[in-house]
Amino acid sequence: MNKSALCWIDGEIMPAVDARISVFDHGLLYGDGVFEGLRFYHRRVFREQAHLQRLQQSAAAIGLELPCDAPELSAAIAALIEGFEHADGYLRLVVTRGPGSLGIDPRSCTKPVVFIIADELRVMDVSDPRQGVSLHVASVRRMPASCLDPRIKSLNYLNNILARIEANRAGADEALMLNLDGNISEGSVDNLFIASAGRLMTPPPSDGLLAGITRDVVIEVARERGIDCSEVSLRLDALYAADECFLTGTGAELIPVRRVGEHEFRAPRNPVTPDIMRAFRERIDLECASG
Ligand code: PMP
């Protein structure tokens, strides 16, 4: 917990450590709710509309009616960023089903709760992300859409947490999750790309992953630069045969993967990852630079 973190809740902004929600909140009791993680640079949110749209889709998918619309959420975010100590940071926007009875039935919850935390960024806990992270292929599989659609960014992250616990035990920085068919799905909190002979590939959302907003930006900048980028199902052998691999996410931005299990990636002669990382950074500066 960071003392400088701020929280917007019920129209008020306060130190996040002082913000309170009910112990009867179904977000807490059952993971019944949705959220977004956003990032701001120079006090401007990167791809805010895409995040708000995904929040609305997630909420609609679980039958949760948002108590505020996108312009109201935008205004709350702007006020929070304005009051935050730093010009760059991370936002966690959470909508819970709200307080209700101790039964699971969401009908007992009459008023959803919205809160937004602004905090400093906590990137993946590695000493130097540019050196690349290590992945552990988790035995726990990504939840199939028929059980809980991974495209819904819900408060229920236990599937991912179990994978991350395995990675922690294996001494790796992040977990790599496969779907029930054995296709690569995603990391516990990020999407995965591989590059082979200068061509990028990433699994399609139908392989059970959250359609990351950073993933979309990477596909966009790659195509703009004439780098072939396809959404295809990938099996582990394609990953091991790849020249390069990186993860994408709001927190992670783009992080190269150095190793998967015992397999080390050898730097190819003409890597595409640094080029994509540069293009990504330029895109952030273009959309968020002040002035
Ligand atoms: N997959 C999962 C499971 C995630 O939690 C995240 C982080 N939101 C991502 C992928 C990356 O998505 P984004 O680029 O929108 O942050």
Side-chain angles (χ1 to χ4, degrees):
M1 269 188 296
N2 180 357
K3 282 206 182 116
S4 70
L6 284 184
C7 183
W8 180 99
I9 184 161
D10 250 344
E12 263 187 73
I13 293 176
M14 62 186 75
V17 286
D18 295 335
R20 296 282 177 267
I21 62 159
S22 165
V23 292
F24 289 103
D25 195 301
H26 279 210
L28 174 66
L29 291 174
Y30 299 112
D32 188 354
V34 293
F35 78 100
E36 276 298 316
L38 309 89
R39 195 155 167 170
F40 57 98
Y41 305 85
H42 311 291
R43 299 198 187 276
R44 289 202 189 144
V45 179
F46 185 57
R47 299 280 162 126
E48 184 179 73
Q49 289 318 309
H51 282 284
L52 294 182
Q53 204 175 353
R54 188 170 66 185
L55 182 80
Q56 280 162 340
Q57 285 163 356
S58 297
I62 66 162
L64 173 59
E65 203 172 317
L66 294 183
C68 18
D69 60 16
E72 285 167 327
L73 289 171
S74 269
I77 288 171
L80 196 58
I81 292 178
E82 165 105 31
F84 190 58
E85 177 178 349
H86 308 284
D88 292 358
Y90 181 82
L91 297 169
R92 173 60 56 91
L93 166 47
V94 180
V95 186
T96 75
R97 189 80 66 180
S101 71
L102 286 178
I104 198 171
D105 193 336
R107 287 175 299 185
S108 72
C109 308
T110 50
K111 193 168 173 273
V113 168
V114 180
F115 62 88
I116 312 167
I117 303 168
D119 200 353
E120 285 176 77
L121 190 76
R122 289 160 289 122
V123 237
M124 214 170 279
D125 197 13
V126 285
S127 50
D128 184 358
R130 283 163 307 179
Q131 295 303 311
V133 293
S134 56
L135 301 185
H136 169 75
V137 181
S139 70
V140 65
R141 297 291 173 100
R142 193 74 178 97
M143 195 95 82
S146 56
C147 295
L148 175 58
D149 193 335
R151 284 171 288 194
I152 303 170
K153 201 162 166 56
S154 81
L155 292 179
N156 197 317
Y157 257 54
L158 262 186
N159 183 218
N160 315 51
I161 291 166
L162 290 174
R164 179 63 82 86
I165 289 170
E166 286 189 35
N168 292 347
R169 287 193 179 125
D173 299 311
E174 169 60 313
L176 175 61
M177 302 183 79
L178 309 178
N179 67 16
L180 289 183
D181 297 325
N183 291 337
I184 292 172
S185 177
E186 60 180 338
S188 69
V189 287
D190 30 55
N191 296 119
L192 174 133
F193 284 75
I194 61 169
S196 284
R199 298 166 75 163
L200 284 179
M201 281 166 271
T202 191
S206 54
D207 274 335
L209 48 105
L210 181 78
I213 288 160
T214 319
R215 174 184 178 277
D216 283 347
V217 178
V218 166
I219 294 173
E220 206 177 290
V221 299
R223 289 182 179 157
E224 275 169 18
R225 295 177 93 76
I227 296 170
D228 188 82
C229 182
S230 47
E231 297 180 68
V232 282
S233 292
L234 297 170
R235 300 195 65 90
L236 278 176
D237 51 2
L239 173 66
Y240 295 134
D243 300 323
E244 300 162 69
C245 176
F246 59 86
L247 301 174
T248 65
T250 295
E253 296 183 326
L254 262 80
I255 297 192
V257 174
R258 180 181 82 243
R259 188 161 66 78
V260 180
E262 296 297 302
H263 176 83
E264 293 263 352
F265 292 96
R266 295 220 185 106
R269 198 173 296 214
N270 293 308
V272 292
T273 309
D275 196 22
I276 299 284
M277 285 172 85
R278 240 185 336 266
F280 180 75
R281 173 70 28 206
E282 283 168 13
R283 182 50 58 100
I284 290 169
D285 287 343
L286 185 74
E287 294 184 24
C288 298
S290 49

